[in-house]
Amino acid sequence: MKSLKENFQKAHIVIIGSGIIGRFNALELAQLGYQVTIIDPAQHQNSSNAALGLLMGNMYQKRRGRSWDLRKQSIELWPKWIKFLQKLNCELNIEKPLIQVTTDEEKFKKLEKFVYENNDQNLRILERDSIFIKNINKAFQTKNIKGMISFEDGRINPFSLLQTLNKYLKHKKVNYLQEEIIKIRKSNNQWISTTRNNEDIKSEMVILCNSLKAINLLESQSHNIKLKPVLGQAMEIEVNDAEVDLLSLPKQFNINGKNIIPKSKNKLIIGSTDEYSTKPEEDTFAKLTNFLDKRPNWLMKGKISKKWFGIRSRPDGEPSPIMKNLDNGVILCTGFYKNGILLAPACSKWVANEIKNYLY
Ligand SMILES: Cc1cc2nc3c(=O)[nH]c(=O)nc-3n(C[C@H](O)[C@H](O)[C@H](O)COP(=O)(O)OP(=O)(O)OC[C@H]3O[C@@H](n4cnc5c(N)ncnc54)[C@H](O)[C@@H]3O)c2cc1C
């Protein structure tokens, strides 16, 4: 008789969608010994490739409920995964700290209350004479910037992360099929995923990580799940002003809701907007630079050297993300309209537990 371990390792799991959520699930499951196939027609054109990679965990102001629980778990899991993935890419890292600043007195008061009430050693209010505040005020020609620093939050380079995951999945012989799945159905205790080219792939379980399109593969009336598209935009700006040194700014920070990542002395990335739309708009520059009442000249005269966007999925009528064990071996993992990079480790751990429970 075969041991439980042998049965478990033989199980074939199909993951539909290869964004960060699909790939992280594959990492977790391949490491546990499952046979995994990822299916995606366009692995480079998803919202994961558009992400900026900020990991806003500890600075999240609501310290209870499901959303906080997922963040907390991810905050704990990320260092272990980084250590593990560094064996394949020693440069992969979480660049810390993360800074959040505002010119809005009300918002600052909320930040202050949050920091004092939580008594978290990794969170501090930034004093007026802190070097970070001084440099932001100098570069943006402001006087009233205030904010907080989170020593344990930061940024991971999403491109490098996705590449490293690919390297590991290849090493673990995870199959990758460049196909679109148009239908899933159950037959004789197995799931059949049918590709647009009419190929059938059999598996014991299916994990839907295909964002907005997940509902197309479900009998939506029976599950009543609704998703809305949310557009996120970002751009790289080139600045032509010898007086400005963008490298004097913090490595990553959020100012009045916009994320900023200086890339070099004269280049920075700004993102991202949230709009209920699927088409990027013409006025990206205006939308992404409207975070101050008065923009400094160097920013006004800056030129867009790159711009990009991603469409994420937001659950309608229930909180984000949707992680559900549907029926008979289908797991739904979608609706990560924000923070998909941050939450990937907690989400894949949850999926792995659901799979273990289902298969035994
Ligand atoms: C500009 C921008 C900045 C962002 N910044 C951050 C950030 O700083 N930090 C953070 O944590 N998050 C950030 N996000 C959010 C983050 O990108 C998302 O939460 C995350 O990428 C969602 O990942 P996903 O795997 O669910 O979806 P996706 O990456 O969109 O992947 C879904 C995949 O499913 C595939 N697919 C669809 N239908 C099918 C089908 N029928 N068959 C097979 N495959 C299919 C698609 O081709 C796609 O590759 C940002 C997003 C944007 C757009």
Side-chain angles (χ1 to χ4, degrees), residues 16-22 39-43 46-48 50-54 179-181 209-211 213 217 232-234 272 308-312 336-342:
I16 302 177
S18 73
I20 185 65
I21 300 301
I39 309 173
D40 194 322
Q43 66 159 317
N46 48 36
S47 73
S48 302
L52 301 190
L54 295 180
E179 294 279 0
E180 182 189 3
I181 296 299
C209 303
N210 53 333
S211 191
K213 305 274 180 65
L217 300 176
Q233 299 184 93
S272 59
W308 62 94
F309 69 94
I311 310 287
R312 348 25 157 355
F336 293 81
Y337 86 104
K338 271 187 179 170
N339 298 304
I341 310 273
L342 170 69

mmCIF file of all heavy atoms in Angstrom, residues 16-22 39-43 46-48 50-54 179-181 209-211 213 217 232-234 272 308-312 336-342, ligand 1:
data_model
loop_
_atom_site.group_PDB
_atom_site.id
_atom_site.type_symbol
_atom_site.label_atom_id
_atom_site.label_comp_id
_atom_site.label_asym_id
_atom_site.label_seq_id
_atom_site.Cartn_x
_atom_site.Cartn_y
_atom_site.Cartn_z
ATOM 1 N N ILE A 16 -4.049 28.250 -12.616
ATOM 2 C CA ILE A 16 -4.398 29.061 -13.792
ATOM 3 C C ILE A 16 -4.064 30.512 -13.472
ATOM 4 O O ILE A 16 -4.617 31.113 -12.557
ATOM 5 C CB ILE A 16 -5.895 28.866 -14.158
ATOM 6 C CG1 ILE A 16 -6.150 27.381 -14.432
ATOM 7 C CG2 ILE A 16 -6.260 29.735 -15.369
ATOM 8 C CD1 ILE A 16 -7.594 27.028 -14.726
ATOM 9 N N GLY A 17 -3.095 31.061 -14.250
ATOM 10 C CA GLY A 17 -2.641 32.441 -14.009
ATOM 11 C C GLY A 17 -1.264 32.442 -13.372
ATOM 12 O O GLY A 17 -1.030 31.752 -12.382
ATOM 13 N N SER A 18 -0.338 33.196 -13.986
ATOM 14 C CA SER A 18 1.044 33.170 -13.474
ATOM 15 C C SER A 18 1.527 34.545 -13.038
ATOM 16 O O SER A 18 2.691 34.880 -13.216
ATOM 17 C CB SER A 18 1.988 32.601 -14.531
ATOM 18 O OG SER A 18 2.165 33.554 -15.544
ATOM 19 N N GLY A 19 0.628 35.360 -12.457
ATOM 20 C CA GLY A 19 1.080 36.595 -11.813
ATOM 21 C C GLY A 19 1.761 36.214 -10.505
ATOM 22 O O GLY A 19 2.065 35.037 -10.272
ATOM 23 N N ILE A 20 1.962 37.189 -9.652
ATOM 24 C CA ILE A 20 2.654 36.893 -8.393
ATOM 25 C C ILE A 20 1.884 35.854 -7.570
ATOM 26 O O ILE A 20 2.482 34.990 -6.925
ATOM 27 C CB ILE A 20 2.902 38.197 -7.566
ATOM 28 C CG1 ILE A 20 3.730 37.916 -6.328
ATOM 29 C CG2 ILE A 20 1.611 38.892 -7.175
ATOM 30 C CD1 ILE A 20 5.115 37.468 -6.593
ATOM 31 N N ILE A 21 0.543 35.901 -7.646
ATOM 32 C CA ILE A 21 -0.244 34.980 -6.821
ATOM 33 C C ILE A 21 -0.097 33.546 -7.338
ATOM 34 O O ILE A 21 0.178 32.626 -6.572
ATOM 35 C CB ILE A 21 -1.731 35.427 -6.767
ATOM 36 C CG1 ILE A 21 -1.828 36.842 -6.169
ATOM 37 C CG2 ILE A 21 -2.594 34.446 -5.976
ATOM 38 C CD1 ILE A 21 -1.252 36.991 -4.764
ATOM 39 N N GLY A 22 -0.210 33.373 -8.652
ATOM 40 C CA GLY A 22 -0.038 32.040 -9.228
ATOM 41 C C GLY A 22 1.361 31.505 -8.982
ATOM 42 O O GLY A 22 1.549 30.349 -8.566
ATOM 43 N N ILE A 39 -0.541 27.540 -15.947
ATOM 44 C CA ILE A 39 -1.016 27.802 -17.307
ATOM 45 C C ILE A 39 -1.341 29.278 -17.438
ATOM 46 O O ILE A 39 -2.082 29.840 -16.621
ATOM 47 C CB ILE A 39 -2.275 26.949 -17.619
ATOM 48 C CG1 ILE A 39 -1.998 25.478 -17.267
ATOM 49 C CG2 ILE A 39 -2.677 27.098 -19.086
ATOM 50 C CD1 ILE A 39 -3.201 24.569 -17.371
ATOM 51 N N ASP A 40 -0.769 29.917 -18.451
ATOM 52 C CA ASP A 40 -1.006 31.356 -18.665
ATOM 53 C C ASP A 40 -0.572 31.704 -20.087
ATOM 54 O O ASP A 40 0.527 31.337 -20.505
ATOM 55 C CB ASP A 40 -0.179 32.173 -17.643
ATOM 56 C CG ASP A 40 -0.602 33.634 -17.566
ATOM 57 O OD1 ASP A 40 -0.921 34.227 -18.619
ATOM 58 O OD2 ASP A 40 -0.601 34.183 -16.458
ATOM 59 N N PRO A 41 -1.426 32.410 -20.853
ATOM 60 C CA PRO A 41 -1.021 32.755 -22.216
ATOM 61 C C PRO A 41 -0.054 33.950 -22.259
ATOM 62 O O PRO A 41 0.609 34.176 -23.260
ATOM 63 C CB PRO A 41 -2.349 33.136 -22.890
ATOM 64 C CG PRO A 41 -3.218 33.614 -21.780
ATOM 65 C CD PRO A 41 -2.779 32.885 -20.535
ATOM 66 N N ALA A 42 -0.012 34.760 -21.179
ATOM 67 C CA ALA A 42 0.748 36.025 -21.253
ATOM 68 C C ALA A 42 1.383 36.358 -19.915
ATOM 69 O O ALA A 42 0.979 37.289 -19.231
ATOM 70 C CB ALA A 42 -0.219 37.144 -21.664
ATOM 71 N N GLN A 43 2.407 35.593 -19.543
ATOM 72 C CA GLN A 43 2.951 35.754 -18.190
ATOM 73 C C GLN A 43 3.659 37.092 -17.957
ATOM 74 O O GLN A 43 3.910 37.460 -16.809
ATOM 75 C CB GLN A 43 3.869 34.593 -17.818
ATOM 76 C CG GLN A 43 5.132 34.499 -18.613
ATOM 77 C CD GLN A 43 6.178 33.678 -17.855
ATOM 78 O OE1 GLN A 43 6.366 33.823 -16.671
ATOM 79 N NE2 GLN A 43 6.848 32.790 -18.569
ATOM 80 N N ASN A 46 0.906 41.174 -17.091
ATOM 81 C CA ASN A 46 -0.124 41.199 -16.049
ATOM 82 C C ASN A 46 0.150 42.324 -15.069
ATOM 83 O O ASN A 46 1.131 43.055 -15.195
ATOM 84 C CB ASN A 46 -0.154 39.845 -15.346
ATOM 85 C CG ASN A 46 1.228 39.400 -14.960
ATOM 86 O OD1 ASN A 46 2.064 40.219 -14.596
ATOM 87 N ND2 ASN A 46 1.468 38.107 -15.040
ATOM 88 N N SER A 47 -0.719 42.453 -14.092
ATOM 89 C CA SER A 47 -0.535 43.572 -13.167
ATOM 90 C C SER A 47 0.685 43.354 -12.278
ATOM 91 O O SER A 47 1.275 44.318 -11.791
ATOM 92 C CB SER A 47 -1.805 43.830 -12.358
ATOM 93 O OG SER A 47 -2.005 42.843 -11.407
ATOM 94 N N SER A 48 1.099 42.107 -12.095
ATOM 95 C CA SER A 48 2.283 41.866 -11.263
ATOM 96 C C SER A 48 3.528 42.490 -11.884
ATOM 97 O O SER A 48 4.409 42.978 -11.173
ATOM 98 C CB SER A 48 2.485 40.364 -11.064
ATOM 99 O OG SER A 48 1.339 39.807 -10.467
ATOM 100 N N ALA A 50 3.525 45.178 -13.503
ATOM 101 C CA ALA A 50 3.397 46.642 -13.412
ATOM 102 C C ALA A 50 3.634 47.156 -11.999
ATOM 103 O O ALA A 50 3.805 48.352 -11.784
ATOM 104 C CB ALA A 50 1.993 47.061 -13.865
ATOM 105 N N ALA A 51 3.663 46.256 -11.018
ATOM 106 C CA ALA A 51 3.701 46.679 -9.608
ATOM 107 C C ALA A 51 5.000 47.385 -9.251
ATOM 108 O O ALA A 51 6.038 47.172 -9.888
ATOM 109 C CB ALA A 51 3.509 45.461 -8.713
ATOM 110 N N LEU A 52 4.931 48.205 -8.218
ATOM 111 C CA LEU A 52 6.134 48.910 -7.752
ATOM 112 C C LEU A 52 6.855 48.120 -6.658
ATOM 113 O O LEU A 52 8.002 48.405 -6.363
ATOM 114 C CB LEU A 52 5.779 50.305 -7.229
ATOM 115 C CG LEU A 52 5.109 51.254 -8.225
ATOM 116 C CD1 LEU A 52 5.040 52.664 -7.659
ATOM 117 C CD2 LEU A 52 5.830 51.282 -9.556
ATOM 118 N N GLY A 53 6.153 47.192 -6.046
ATOM 119 C CA GLY A 53 6.824 46.303 -5.089
ATOM 120 C C GLY A 53 6.906 46.813 -3.657
ATOM 121 O O GLY A 53 7.666 46.280 -2.856
ATOM 122 N N LEU A 54 6.119 47.841 -3.331
ATOM 123 C CA LEU A 54 6.156 48.326 -1.951
ATOM 124 C C LEU A 54 5.437 47.342 -1.037
ATOM 125 O O LEU A 54 4.369 46.828 -1.399
ATOM 126 C CB LEU A 54 5.506 49.701 -1.841
ATOM 127 C CG LEU A 54 6.227 50.816 -2.599
ATOM 128 C CD1 LEU A 54 5.507 52.125 -2.431
ATOM 129 C CD2 LEU A 54 7.664 50.968 -2.139
ATOM 130 N N GLU A 179 -0.815 28.879 -22.487
ATOM 131 C CA GLU A 179 -2.152 28.655 -23.069
ATOM 132 C C GLU A 179 -3.180 29.400 -22.251
ATOM 133 O O GLU A 179 -2.977 29.654 -21.064
ATOM 134 C CB GLU A 179 -2.507 27.161 -22.997
ATOM 135 C CG GLU A 179 -1.662 26.244 -23.841
ATOM 136 C CD GLU A 179 -2.098 26.210 -25.286
ATOM 137 O OE1 GLU A 179 -3.070 26.907 -25.637
ATOM 138 O OE2 GLU A 179 -1.458 25.473 -26.064
ATOM 139 N N GLU A 180 -4.340 29.642 -22.890
ATOM 140 C CA GLU A 180 -5.447 30.241 -22.147
ATOM 141 C C GLU A 180 -6.442 29.130 -21.803
ATOM 142 O O GLU A 180 -6.771 28.301 -22.655
ATOM 143 C CB GLU A 180 -6.126 31.302 -23.018
ATOM 144 C CG GLU A 180 -7.261 31.996 -22.310
ATOM 145 C CD GLU A 180 -8.077 32.878 -23.239
ATOM 146 O OE1 GLU A 180 -7.800 32.903 -24.459
ATOM 147 O OE2 GLU A 180 -9.013 33.517 -22.746
ATOM 148 N N ILE A 181 -6.884 29.108 -20.571
ATOM 149 C CA ILE A 181 -7.902 28.109 -20.194
ATOM 150 C C ILE A 181 -9.281 28.718 -20.446
ATOM 151 O O ILE A 181 -9.571 29.832 -20.002
ATOM 152 C CB ILE A 181 -7.743 27.695 -18.709
ATOM 153 C CG1 ILE A 181 -6.395 26.997 -18.498
ATOM 154 C CG2 ILE A 181 -8.894 26.790 -18.255
ATOM 155 C CD1 ILE A 181 -6.181 25.726 -19.301
ATOM 156 N N CYS A 209 -5.934 31.623 -10.233
ATOM 157 C CA CYS A 209 -5.168 32.829 -9.879
ATOM 158 C C CYS A 209 -5.175 33.760 -11.075
ATOM 159 O O CYS A 209 -4.175 34.428 -11.346
ATOM 160 C CB CYS A 209 -3.733 32.465 -9.523
ATOM 161 S SG CYS A 209 -3.581 31.279 -8.205
ATOM 162 N N ASN A 210 -6.269 33.746 -11.821
ATOM 163 C CA ASN A 210 -6.281 34.517 -13.066
ATOM 164 C C ASN A 210 -7.092 35.798 -12.945
ATOM 165 O O ASN A 210 -7.745 36.217 -13.888
ATOM 166 C CB ASN A 210 -6.728 33.663 -14.260
ATOM 167 C CG ASN A 210 -8.048 32.962 -14.051
ATOM 168 O OD1 ASN A 210 -8.415 32.673 -12.935
ATOM 169 N ND2 ASN A 210 -8.757 32.693 -15.118
ATOM 170 N N SER A 211 -7.018 36.387 -11.764
ATOM 171 C CA SER A 211 -7.533 37.734 -11.535
ATOM 172 C C SER A 211 -8.961 37.913 -12.049
ATOM 173 O O SER A 211 -9.825 37.095 -11.744
ATOM 174 C CB SER A 211 -6.522 38.720 -12.151
ATOM 175 O OG SER A 211 -6.817 40.023 -11.768
ATOM 176 N N LYS A 213 -10.398 37.329 -14.783
ATOM 177 C CA LYS A 213 -10.978 36.286 -15.632
ATOM 178 C C LYS A 213 -11.395 35.041 -14.846
ATOM 179 O O LYS A 213 -11.947 34.109 -15.421
ATOM 180 C CB LYS A 213 -9.979 35.877 -16.726
ATOM 181 C CG LYS A 213 -9.478 37.031 -17.570
ATOM 182 C CD LYS A 213 -10.435 37.306 -18.712
ATOM 183 C CE LYS A 213 -10.006 38.453 -19.602
ATOM 184 N NZ LYS A 213 -8.782 38.223 -20.318
ATOM 185 N N LEU A 217 -14.481 31.311 -15.469
ATOM 186 C CA LEU A 217 -14.316 29.866 -15.384
ATOM 187 C C LEU A 217 -15.223 29.238 -14.328
ATOM 188 O O LEU A 217 -15.211 28.037 -14.121
ATOM 189 C CB LEU A 217 -12.851 29.517 -15.094
ATOM 190 C CG LEU A 217 -11.849 29.996 -16.154
ATOM 191 C CD1 LEU A 217 -10.428 29.682 -15.721
ATOM 192 C CD2 LEU A 217 -12.131 29.353 -17.499
ATOM 193 N N GLY A 232 -4.258 50.645 -12.548
ATOM 194 C CA GLY A 232 -3.149 51.236 -11.791
ATOM 195 C C GLY A 232 -2.111 51.724 -12.780
ATOM 196 O O GLY A 232 -1.775 51.016 -13.737
ATOM 197 N N GLN A 233 -1.637 52.971 -12.589
ATOM 198 C CA GLN A 233 -0.669 53.526 -13.544
ATOM 199 C C GLN A 233 0.606 53.963 -12.816
ATOM 200 O O GLN A 233 0.553 54.352 -11.658
ATOM 201 C CB GLN A 233 -1.263 54.754 -14.226
ATOM 202 C CG GLN A 233 -2.516 54.442 -15.022
ATOM 203 C CD GLN A 233 -3.015 55.673 -15.755
ATOM 204 O OE1 GLN A 233 -2.673 55.890 -16.907
ATOM 205 N NE2 GLN A 233 -3.789 56.475 -15.087
ATOM 206 N N ALA A 234 1.702 53.917 -13.544
ATOM 207 C CA ALA A 234 2.977 54.389 -12.993
ATOM 208 C C ALA A 234 3.802 54.979 -14.128
ATOM 209 O O ALA A 234 3.532 54.711 -15.307
ATOM 210 C CB ALA A 234 3.726 53.236 -12.340
ATOM 211 N N SER A 272 0.822 54.975 -7.681
ATOM 212 C CA SER A 272 -0.010 54.504 -8.760
ATOM 213 C C SER A 272 -1.407 55.053 -8.537
ATOM 214 O O SER A 272 -1.743 55.452 -7.429
ATOM 215 C CB SER A 272 -0.043 52.981 -8.758
ATOM 216 O OG SER A 272 -0.552 52.534 -7.526
ATOM 217 N N TRP A 308 3.629 52.912 -17.711
ATOM 218 C CA TRP A 308 3.013 51.587 -17.816
ATOM 219 C C TRP A 308 1.772 51.523 -16.925
ATOM 220 O O TRP A 308 1.533 52.432 -16.119
ATOM 221 C CB TRP A 308 4.017 50.492 -17.454
ATOM 222 C CG TRP A 308 4.531 50.539 -16.063
ATOM 223 C CD1 TRP A 308 4.053 49.872 -14.982
ATOM 224 C CD2 TRP A 308 5.663 51.296 -15.583
ATOM 225 N NE1 TRP A 308 4.793 50.153 -13.865
ATOM 226 C CE2 TRP A 308 5.788 51.031 -14.201
ATOM 227 C CE3 TRP A 308 6.580 52.157 -16.170
ATOM 228 C CZ2 TRP A 308 6.783 51.588 -13.414
ATOM 229 C CZ3 TRP A 308 7.571 52.731 -15.383
ATOM 230 C CH2 TRP A 308 7.677 52.446 -14.029
ATOM 231 N N PHE A 309 1.023 50.458 -17.103
ATOM 232 C CA PHE A 309 -0.189 50.312 -16.294
ATOM 233 C C PHE A 309 -0.481 48.832 -16.083
ATOM 234 O O PHE A 309 0.108 47.972 -16.741
ATOM 235 C CB PHE A 309 -1.391 51.010 -16.967
ATOM 236 C CG PHE A 309 -1.853 50.329 -18.229
ATOM 237 C CD1 PHE A 309 -2.884 49.387 -18.184
ATOM 238 C CD2 PHE A 309 -1.281 50.618 -19.448
ATOM 239 C CE1 PHE A 309 -3.323 48.752 -19.331
ATOM 240 C CE2 PHE A 309 -1.709 49.980 -20.607
ATOM 241 C CZ PHE A 309 -2.726 49.048 -20.549
ATOM 242 N N GLY A 310 -1.391 48.571 -15.180
ATOM 243 C CA GLY A 310 -1.830 47.194 -14.948
ATOM 244 C C GLY A 310 -3.292 47.219 -14.550
ATOM 245 O O GLY A 310 -3.762 48.184 -13.956
ATOM 246 N N ILE A 311 -3.999 46.167 -14.920
ATOM 247 C CA ILE A 311 -5.410 46.071 -14.513
ATOM 248 C C ILE A 311 -5.509 45.021 -13.419
ATOM 249 O O ILE A 311 -5.137 43.874 -13.624
ATOM 250 C CB ILE A 311 -6.310 45.621 -15.698
ATOM 251 C CG1 ILE A 311 -6.049 46.451 -16.957
ATOM 252 C CG2 ILE A 311 -7.792 45.624 -15.298
ATOM 253 C CD1 ILE A 311 -6.562 47.850 -16.918
ATOM 254 N N ARG A 312 -5.965 45.454 -12.272
ATOM 255 C CA ARG A 312 -6.134 44.480 -11.187
ATOM 256 C C ARG A 312 -7.630 44.232 -10.984
ATOM 257 O O ARG A 312 -8.450 44.952 -11.542
ATOM 258 C CB ARG A 312 -5.562 44.898 -9.873
ATOM 259 C CG ARG A 312 -4.659 46.006 -9.468
ATOM 260 C CD ARG A 312 -4.502 47.181 -10.128
ATOM 261 N NE ARG A 312 -4.086 48.462 -9.819
ATOM 262 C CZ ARG A 312 -3.752 49.063 -8.719
ATOM 263 N NH1 ARG A 312 -3.732 48.427 -7.606
ATOM 264 N NH2 ARG A 312 -3.426 50.300 -8.667
ATOM 265 N N PHE A 336 -6.964 40.641 -5.803
ATOM 266 C CA PHE A 336 -5.843 41.360 -5.176
ATOM 267 C C PHE A 336 -5.660 42.687 -5.904
ATOM 268 O O PHE A 336 -4.734 42.846 -6.685
ATOM 269 C CB PHE A 336 -4.553 40.542 -5.273
ATOM 270 C CG PHE A 336 -4.564 39.283 -4.464
ATOM 271 C CD1 PHE A 336 -5.174 38.128 -4.938
ATOM 272 C CD2 PHE A 336 -3.957 39.242 -3.218
ATOM 273 C CE1 PHE A 336 -5.177 36.964 -4.195
ATOM 274 C CE2 PHE A 336 -3.953 38.076 -2.467
ATOM 275 C CZ PHE A 336 -4.570 36.938 -2.958
ATOM 276 N N TYR A 337 -6.572 43.633 -5.666
ATOM 277 C CA TYR A 337 -6.439 44.879 -6.432
ATOM 278 C C TYR A 337 -5.321 45.745 -5.883
ATOM 279 O O TYR A 337 -4.801 46.630 -6.558
ATOM 280 C CB TYR A 337 -7.783 45.620 -6.503
ATOM 281 C CG TYR A 337 -8.096 46.524 -5.347
ATOM 282 C CD1 TYR A 337 -7.978 47.897 -5.466
ATOM 283 C CD2 TYR A 337 -8.523 46.004 -4.145
ATOM 284 C CE1 TYR A 337 -8.273 48.728 -4.419
ATOM 285 C CE2 TYR A 337 -8.815 46.829 -3.079
ATOM 286 C CZ TYR A 337 -8.686 48.184 -3.226
ATOM 287 O OH TYR A 337 -8.960 49.002 -2.178
ATOM 288 N N LYS A 338 -4.944 45.495 -4.646
ATOM 289 C CA LYS A 338 -3.800 46.183 -4.041
ATOM 290 C C LYS A 338 -3.010 45.153 -3.247
ATOM 291 O O LYS A 338 -3.564 44.145 -2.808
ATOM 292 C CB LYS A 338 -4.284 47.238 -3.052
ATOM 293 C CG LYS A 338 -4.518 48.579 -3.680
ATOM 294 C CD LYS A 338 -4.821 49.608 -2.626
ATOM 295 C CE LYS A 338 -5.031 50.943 -3.327
ATOM 296 N NZ LYS A 338 -5.537 51.934 -2.435
ATOM 297 N N ASN A 339 -1.742 45.443 -3.044
ATOM 298 C CA ASN A 339 -0.938 44.649 -2.112
ATOM 299 C C ASN A 339 -0.780 43.168 -2.438
ATOM 300 O O ASN A 339 -0.525 42.363 -1.540
ATOM 301 C CB ASN A 339 -1.518 44.774 -0.682
ATOM 302 C CG ASN A 339 -1.464 46.192 -0.196
ATOM 303 O OD1 ASN A 339 -0.399 46.794 -0.175
ATOM 304 N ND2 ASN A 339 -2.605 46.756 0.130
ATOM 305 N N GLY A 340 -0.957 42.815 -3.709
ATOM 306 C CA GLY A 340 -0.797 41.411 -4.083
ATOM 307 C C GLY A 340 0.610 40.914 -3.799
ATOM 308 O O GLY A 340 0.799 39.763 -3.390
ATOM 309 N N ILE A 341 1.607 41.779 -3.995
ATOM 310 C CA ILE A 341 2.995 41.354 -3.754
ATOM 311 C C ILE A 341 3.169 41.110 -2.253
ATOM 312 O O ILE A 341 3.673 40.071 -1.835
ATOM 313 C CB ILE A 341 4.004 42.434 -4.236
ATOM 314 C CG1 ILE A 341 3.692 42.886 -5.662
ATOM 315 C CG2 ILE A 341 5.449 41.963 -4.059
ATOM 316 C CD1 ILE A 341 4.275 42.129 -6.767
ATOM 317 N N LEU A 342 2.698 42.069 -1.470
ATOM 318 C CA LEU A 342 2.821 41.926 -0.014
ATOM 319 C C LEU A 342 2.145 40.643 0.477
ATOM 320 O O LEU A 342 2.700 39.899 1.277
ATOM 321 C CB LEU A 342 2.179 43.153 0.676
ATOM 322 C CG LEU A 342 2.004 43.049 2.185
ATOM 323 C CD1 LEU A 342 3.359 43.089 2.894
ATOM 324 C CD2 LEU A 342 1.118 44.156 2.731
HETATM 325 C C1 LIG B 1 0.908 50.355 -11.218
HETATM 326 C C2 LIG B 1 0.728 49.333 -10.135
HETATM 327 C C3 LIG B 1 1.485 49.429 -8.961
HETATM 328 C C4 LIG B 1 1.319 48.490 -7.949
HETATM 329 N N1 LIG B 1 2.130 48.562 -6.854
HETATM 330 C C5 LIG B 1 2.068 47.610 -5.887
HETATM 331 C C6 LIG B 1 2.945 47.651 -4.783
HETATM 332 O O1 LIG B 1 3.743 48.562 -4.667
HETATM 333 N N2 LIG B 1 2.863 46.656 -3.855
HETATM 334 C C7 LIG B 1 1.955 45.613 -3.969
HETATM 335 O O2 LIG B 1 1.942 44.729 -3.095
HETATM 336 N N3 LIG B 1 1.104 45.567 -5.018
HETATM 337 C C8 LIG B 1 1.128 46.538 -5.973
HETATM 338 N N4 LIG B 1 0.277 46.502 -7.036
HETATM 339 C C9 LIG B 1 -0.791 45.491 -7.025
HETATM 340 C C10 LIG B 1 -0.277 44.156 -7.518
HETATM 341 O O3 LIG B 1 0.346 44.343 -8.746
HETATM 342 C C11 LIG B 1 -1.440 43.168 -7.640
HETATM 343 O O4 LIG B 1 -2.087 43.070 -6.389
HETATM 344 C C12 LIG B 1 -0.928 41.792 -8.055
HETATM 345 O O5 LIG B 1 -0.061 41.892 -9.147
HETATM 346 C C13 LIG B 1 -2.086 40.859 -8.398
HETATM 347 O O6 LIG B 1 -1.496 39.660 -8.855
HETATM 348 P P1 LIG B 1 -2.310 38.495 -9.530
HETATM 349 O O7 LIG B 1 -1.381 37.344 -9.684
HETATM 350 O O8 LIG B 1 -3.586 38.305 -8.773
HETATM 351 O O9 LIG B 1 -2.787 39.074 -10.957
HETATM 352 P P2 LIG B 1 -1.984 39.295 -12.301
HETATM 353 O O10 LIG B 1 -0.573 39.674 -12.066
HETATM 354 O O11 LIG B 1 -2.792 40.240 -13.111
HETATM 355 O O12 LIG B 1 -1.969 37.864 -12.996
HETATM 356 C C14 LIG B 1 -3.115 37.246 -13.514
HETATM 357 C C15 LIG B 1 -2.665 36.330 -14.643
HETATM 358 O O13 LIG B 1 -3.766 35.502 -15.052
HETATM 359 C C16 LIG B 1 -3.601 35.233 -16.452
HETATM 360 N N5 LIG B 1 -4.881 34.763 -16.990
HETATM 361 C C17 LIG B 1 -6.039 35.462 -17.114
HETATM 362 N N6 LIG B 1 -6.998 34.673 -17.650
HETATM 363 C C18 LIG B 1 -6.427 33.454 -17.879
HETATM 364 C C19 LIG B 1 -6.929 32.227 -18.413
HETATM 365 N N7 LIG B 1 -8.200 32.098 -18.810
HETATM 366 N N8 LIG B 1 -6.069 31.193 -18.512
HETATM 367 C C20 LIG B 1 -4.785 31.294 -18.077
HETATM 368 N N9 LIG B 1 -4.269 32.429 -17.554
HETATM 369 C C21 LIG B 1 -5.082 33.498 -17.453
HETATM 370 C C22 LIG B 1 -3.151 36.602 -16.998
HETATM 371 O O14 LIG B 1 -2.525 36.445 -18.277
HETATM 372 C C23 LIG B 1 -2.199 37.071 -15.909
HETATM 373 O O15 LIG B 1 -0.854 36.749 -16.199
HETATM 374 C C24 LIG B 1 0.399 47.424 -8.082
HETATM 375 C C25 LIG B 1 -0.359 47.316 -9.261
HETATM 376 C C26 LIG B 1 -0.192 48.252 -10.278
HETATM 377 C C27 LIG B 1 -1.000 48.100 -11.536
#
